[in-house]
Amino acid sequence: MESKLTPAAKMQQQPIVGEKLKFSASEDGVMLKQIQASHAPDGRVINVRPLLRIVEDIFNRAAPSAIVAPAHTEEVEDQTYQADVIDMIEALSFLIDRISSEIAFKCTETGEAHATTMSILNIVSNYPWDAKLVIALSAFAVNYGEFWLLAQSYTSNQLAKNLAILRQVPEILQHSSMLKYRFETTKNLIRAMVDIAKCIVDFKELPSKYISADVTAMSTAMDHIPIAIYWTIRSMLASASQITGLSGFGNEYLLSTMESWELSSLVHKLDSMHSHLVGLLSACHKHIDERKFLEAYQNLLYLYETAQIDNIKILKALINPKDDPLPLIHGATNRRVNIDVLRKRNVLLLISDLDILQDKIAILEQIYNESRSQPSRLESQYEFVWLPVLDPSVPLSEIKKDKFENLKALMTWYTLQHPSLIDRAVFKFIKEVWHFEKKPILVVLDPQGRVTCPNALYMMWIWGSLAFPFTTERETALWRAETWRLELLVGGIDPVILNWISEGRFIFLYGGEDMDWIRKFTNAVRTFARASGLSLEMVYVGKSNPKERVSRNMATITAEKLSFCLPNLTAVWYFWIRIESMWYSKYQLGKEDENDPITREIMTLLTYDGSGDGWALLSRGSAELTRAKGSAFLTCLTEYNLWAADLQTKGLVPAVHDYFLQHPAPHHCNRLELPGTTGRIPERVTCSDCGRMMERYILYRCCDE
């Protein structure tokens, strides 16, 4: 049956051959009991981190290589010599001197390493584990540092020279080439001792608020730390014996290999212990990070659900959980600013990843700047903040950094100064509570930090700053006052069309990508205009998510003078995103009733766009509208003689509308495409032509046009 190993045996990764380092598992158990029996802390609290920094600096400056070519060390600002640190060192000075003498006098006594180590542990019995080790290491640093101080300065200082002669330092340095390996091994052992000490101090500084001794990694570490401290002190004695031996044993000592082998064995032993402790420390940090993450997430939920005096607490939790003093950048001035600039303001959080379309930024920029042109207006009393939401667990590549900087440069409002400010808790909150997936959302916080609209992007596209203060109540009121009219479709896109509407002109909006149909349709409209004697305007509005094909169509239409076009692809995109937003706004409010005339017309246009064929909408002024698929409109215009009489009695738009009612299509195949990245896909949608339930399919599309 396999015997149960003690912590000492577990940490010893391979056997050490040699009298001084050889212990059986049973002896390890006895040694562990002795170490623990020496531990009698009296509750004193001591921060040994500054003392450890001083010790580490001594070892760095006392490097053996300095005897060949003294290293130039830059003066740095040293904060370790503050008043409280000096007081601590004064309180420990007697203890350090005592241990230093213990090391110097007993380090070379054969077979006494264990007894001397236990003696040192008994001297520091009243101190916590981390303080025991750092105090002992400080005592060793005094001896080690004094020796190398003489070695480095005896050629330039007479006092140092005299002392060096008494310590036989010049003779030692004459054999420096023979001692190079031993010096290097001692240096490695000291590095391993410092690593162990720093790791144990790291354990001591873990926040008790987030981790306790009953956590597996922590309890395991506490079992192993006493053994690690014991062997680190043993290593100090072995290192000290090298200095003492060099000073007092002559050439025969220089030729000894036993001590060098022992040092190498100790380096391996401490490195193995350190590696094990580092693994446990990493597990502790993961536990702490998880506790902090859960605490931060619960805090966000609490702030989200609790009334606040102002918006700063929730904004700080969202935008600045890492306490950056200047977490925001003001795009217009490129200045970093404090979060207080948002205090008691209506704040619109634009939440997106780095794939947000520049078209969206351009339109939002236009709306934002228009509101700022009249600062006294109520509609201008809000602030935009862009939150780039990226998975914190995925490192930010250089490509993404450049993309972030390029997008940030396009925005004149406030932006987060770096995506890394969004931590795991905020990422989870935005994904799970605000349902952010891929498509950008615009979350509205009022001056008290309450969410007044989960996504105001839809009403921003539809009504711009007129939707202020961008609350769900305001959105409902705007829809209540709205009717199906041409201004609702083209408002804010092109002033030319708005002028035509105010002048009462007949206007055809038409879309699609089939250039052959476009030529047939525009020719049919001109033929009808000549036959009827009416003046007609035509506007090409392309297709949703316009790409190169729509751009080519616009160029051809302009070159062949077929009709008027929207100014550019951004305007085409804006036209369609507004129609899509109308549907999502209705759906978000729970008012996507198919019997509602506006909802029905929106669904019809989206269905036309999804079919891929041409379509047209005819209007006069604001309120007279009718629409149909491209083939139906072509037939209607070519059969003008069948309804010419109605044109005279009813007017153009009613006559065309009645024609469509009297000549319904014998069959139809409608398709409605809704982006799958919204996170809010309706369970049921009815056909705009026949009112039956539409079948639902999953569509995957890749279009690199």
Side-chain angles (χ1 to χ4, degrees):
M1 186 173 70
E2 184 178 351
S3 61
K4 186 176 181 181
L5 296 178
T6 65
K10 290 179 184 177
M11 292 189 71
Q12 189 170 346
Q13 298 297 312
Q14 80 176 44
I16 302 296
V17 186
E19 189 62 33
K20 289 187 179 181
L21 303 181
K22 189 176 180 182
F23 286 92
S24 66
S26 61
E27 288 173 323
D28 274 342
V30 172
M31 182 180 68
L32 178 59
K33 289 181 180 178
Q34 287 181 330
I35 297 169
Q36 290 173 334
S38 72
H39 184 54
D42 57 10
R44 71 184 73 191
V45 177
I46 177 171
N47 175 21
V48 293
R49 176 73 72 179
L51 183 57
L52 182 56
R53 290 197 191 100
I54 296 174
V55 170
E56 187 176 12
D57 192 50
I58 290 172
F59 290 139
N60 289 336
R61 294 173 187 272
S65 58
I67 64 175
V68 178
H72 174 69
T73 307
E74 293 290 338
E75 290 294 329
V76 295
E77 183 181 353
D78 195 342
Q79 297 180 349
T80 61
Y81 301 107
Q82 296 173 351
D84 55 341
V85 178
I86 295 297
D87 291 342
M88 176 190 67
I89 294 174
E90 287 180 356
L92 296 175
S93 60
F94 175 77
L95 205 57
I96 292 172
D97 285 343
R98 182 180 172 188
I99 296 172
S100 176
S101 299
E102 187 87 2
I103 292 173
F105 290 131
K106 295 186 178 180
C107 65
T108 57
E109 294 183 5
T110 305
E112 294 300 319
H114 172 69
T116 304
T117 301
M118 292 308 304
S119 174
I120 293 172
L121 285 172
N122 283 318
I123 292 173
V124 292
S125 61
N126 297 137
Y127 289 85
W129 288 111
D130 63 316
K132 293 180 196 291
L133 182 55
V134 175
I135 291 170
L137 200 58
S138 302
F140 168 67
V142 170
N143 295 344
Y144 187 79
E146 286 177 351
F147 176 84
W148 287 111
L149 181 61
L150 291 179
Q152 293 175 15
S153 59
Y154 84 98
T155 58
S156 60
N157 184 289
Q158 186 61 41
L159 177 60
K161 182 177 181 180
N162 293 334
L163 291 171
I165 291 171
L166 294 177
R167 296 287 296 272
Q168 299 181 0
V169 171
E171 184 178 348
I172 294 170
L173 299 186
Q174 288 175 7
H175 300 89
S176 60
S177 59
M178 296 174 60
L179 295 168
K180 183 177 180 181
Y181 174 75
R182 189 172 298 182
F183 285 156
E184 192 64 31
T185 306
T186 303
K187 178 183 176 182
N188 289 337
L189 183 55
I190 290 172
R191 184 264 310 154
M193 290 189 288
V194 172
D195 286 344
I196 290 276
K198 290 165 76 172
C199 190
I200 290 174
V201 172
D202 285 341
F203 272 107
K204 178 61 180 297
E205 293 176 347
L206 293 177
S208 59
K209 178 182 178 182
Y210 300 107
I211 192 166
S212 60
D214 58 356
V215 174
T216 301
M218 191 68 169
S219 63
T220 303
M222 293 303 101
D223 289 341
H224 287 79
I225 281 174
I227 299 296
I229 291 174
Y230 171 88
W231 281 109
T232 305
I233 296 176
R234 281 283 297 263
S235 299
M236 295 178 206
L237 297 175
S239 300
S241 71
Q242 296 298 302
I243 304 302
T244 304
L246 288 172
S247 301
F249 286 89
N251 292 340
E252 68 278 7
Y253 185 80
L254 301 179
L255 301 174
S256 172
T257 59
M258 178 59 72
E259 286 77 7
S260 295
W261 174 87
E262 182 182 351
L263 293 182
S264 298
S265 300
L266 284 168
V267 170
H268 174 79
K269 190 178 191 74
L270 291 194
D271 281 344
S272 297
M273 290 180 171
H274 177 253
S275 177
H276 186 57
L277 287 174
V278 166
L280 294 172
L281 185 63
S282 176
C284 289
H285 280 302
K286 287 181 180 178
H287 177 86
I288 291 168
D289 289 344
E290 192 64 25
R291 288 286 304 275
K292 287 182 176 180
F293 158 69
L294 292 174
E295 180 184 69
Y297 183 70
Q298 291 299 322
N299 182 53
L300 274 169
L301 292 177
Y302 172 78
L303 292 173
Y304 179 63
E305 297 167 355
T306 308
Q308 303 293 323
I309 297 174
D310 59 28
N311 56 3
I312 287 298
K313 282 188 177 180
I314 184 69
L315 286 174
K316 186 178 183 301
L318 286 167
I319 294 174
N320 195 24
K322 299 180 180 179
D323 292 324
D324 188 313
L326 302 172
L328 299 174
I329 290 182
H330 186 232
T333 60
N334 203 32
R335 287 175 51 249
R336 290 185 62 176
V337 297
N338 189 276
I339 201 170
D340 278 337
V341 297
L342 305 176
R343 187 184 294 274
K344 293 190 176 180
R345 300 279 290 176
N346 290 281
V347 178
L348 279 59
L349 300 175
L350 176 60
I351 297 170
S352 78
D353 57 18
L354 298 182
D355 293 327
I356 183 172
L357 294 175
Q358 292 191 14
D359 291 334
K360 291 187 177 182
I361 297 175
I363 298 299
L364 285 173
E365 188 78 20
Q366 177 182 329
I367 296 171
Y368 179 76
N369 289 337
E370 285 176 358
S371 72
R372 288 301 179 273
S373 64
Q374 300 182 41
S376 61
R377 290 177 56 188
L378 182 64
E379 292 82 358
S380 69
Q381 304 305 307
Y382 65 88
E383 298 292 349
F384 259 105
V385 180
W386 179 43
L387 301 186
V389 177
L390 307 178
D391 189 344
S393 65
V394 179
L396 198 64
S397 66
E398 289 300 321
I399 293 176
K400 287 187 176 180
K401 287 179 184 176
D402 292 342
K403 198 168 186 179
F404 166 73
E405 293 297 333
N406 292 336
L407 288 171
K408 187 174 68 174
L410 299 175
M411 303 176 184
T412 59
W413 49 75
Y414 294 108
T415 67
L416 210 59
Q417 66 98 357
H418 197 272
S420 62
L421 292 181
I422 299 291
D423 66 11
R424 283 178 60 209
V426 177
F427 183 77
K428 176 182 173 72
F429 180 85
I430 289 174
K431 298 277 281 186
E432 295 189 0
V433 178
W434 288 347
H435 307 294
F436 169 72
E437 292 296 334
K438 180 76 175 173
K439 203 171 182 182
I441 60 175
L442 193 65
V443 179
V444 181
L445 302 181
D446 71 5
Q448 285 71 47
R450 294 171 300 199
V451 174
T452 55
C453 183
N455 188 6
L457 204 53
Y458 305 135
M459 64 174 117
M460 183 67 78
W461 295 141
I462 302 166
W463 296 290
S465 295
L466 291 176
F468 181 86
F470 309 105
T471 62
T472 301
E473 292 74 18
R474 176 61 174 163
E475 187 175 15
T476 301
L478 287 168
W479 275 124
R480 193 180 297 118
E482 196 59 82
T483 59
W484 184 245
R485 54 199 177 95
L486 195 57
E487 289 96 334
L488 182 62
L489 290 176
V490 299
I493 296 178
D494 194 320
V496 173
I497 303 175
L498 294 177
N499 289 336
W500 290 344
I501 294 172
S502 63
E503 294 169 3
R505 298 193 191 187
F506 292 108
I507 303 170
F508 275 104
L509 298 185
Y510 70 97
E513 293 181 311
D514 186 348
M515 197 61 220
D516 289 337
W517 176 84
I518 290 172
R519 289 191 178 96
K520 290 177 183 177
F521 174 74
T522 52
N523 287 332
V525 171
R526 284 196 295 270
T527 300
F528 166 74
R530 288 192 295 269
S532 63
L534 298 175
S535 176
L536 303 170
E537 306 293 348
M538 291 181 286
V539 183
Y540 178 62
V541 296
K543 183 173 172 50
S544 62
N545 299 312
K547 295 192 171 57
E548 186 58 33
R549 191 172 180 183
V550 171
S551 180
R552 289 197 302 269
N553 286 352
M554 293 170 70
T556 301
I557 291 168
T558 301
E560 297 180 12
K561 299 181 179 179
L562 300 180
S563 75
F564 182 77
C565 295
L566 291 180
N568 47 50
L569 284 183
T570 298
V572 173
W573 172 86
Y574 190 31
F575 174 85
W576 286 105
I577 199 65
R578 290 180 78 254
I579 295 176
E580 183 181 300
S581 296
M582 292 174 197
W583 189 89
Y584 280 116
S585 172
K586 291 272 189 179
Y587 180 70
Q588 181 173 265
L589 293 171
K591 300 182 182 300
E592 73 287 6
D593 181 8
E594 292 83 358
N595 296 319
D596 170 50
I598 296 180
T599 301
R600 187 168 58 248
E601 295 300 326
I602 292 168
M603 293 287 289
T604 299
L605 292 182
L606 291 174
T607 301
Y608 288 166
D609 181 61
S611 68
D613 299 324
W615 62 273
L617 179 149
L618 172 63
S619 72
R620 182 182 186 185
S622 177
E624 292 186 30
L625 293 92
T626 190
R627 75 295 185 273
K629 295 178 180 177
S631 56
F633 243 118
L634 274 178
T635 303
C636 173
L637 294 174
T638 55
E639 294 181 351
Y640 162 58
N641 60 308
L642 297 180
W643 51 274
D646 287 345
L647 173 62
Q648 302 301 321
T649 58
K650 300 178 181 178
L652 177 58
V653 176
V656 171
H657 183 72
D658 288 348
Y659 173 86
F660 291 142
L661 292 176
Q662 295 163 11
H663 300 81
H667 60 83
H668 65 272
C669 183
N670 292 338
R671 184 174 65 188
L672 173 65
E673 292 184 13
L674 297 174
T677 55
T678 62
R680 297 174 62 86
I681 300 301
E683 290 296 324
R684 57 187 295 273
V685 175
T686 57
C687 176
S688 59
D689 279 347
C690 64
R692 291 182 298 182
M693 289 285 295
M694 299 181 76
E695 297 180 31
R696 184 163 69 167
Y697 294 85
I698 297 176
L699 171 68
Y700 295 93
R701 181 173 64 179
C702 176
C703 187
D704 63 352
E705 181 187 2

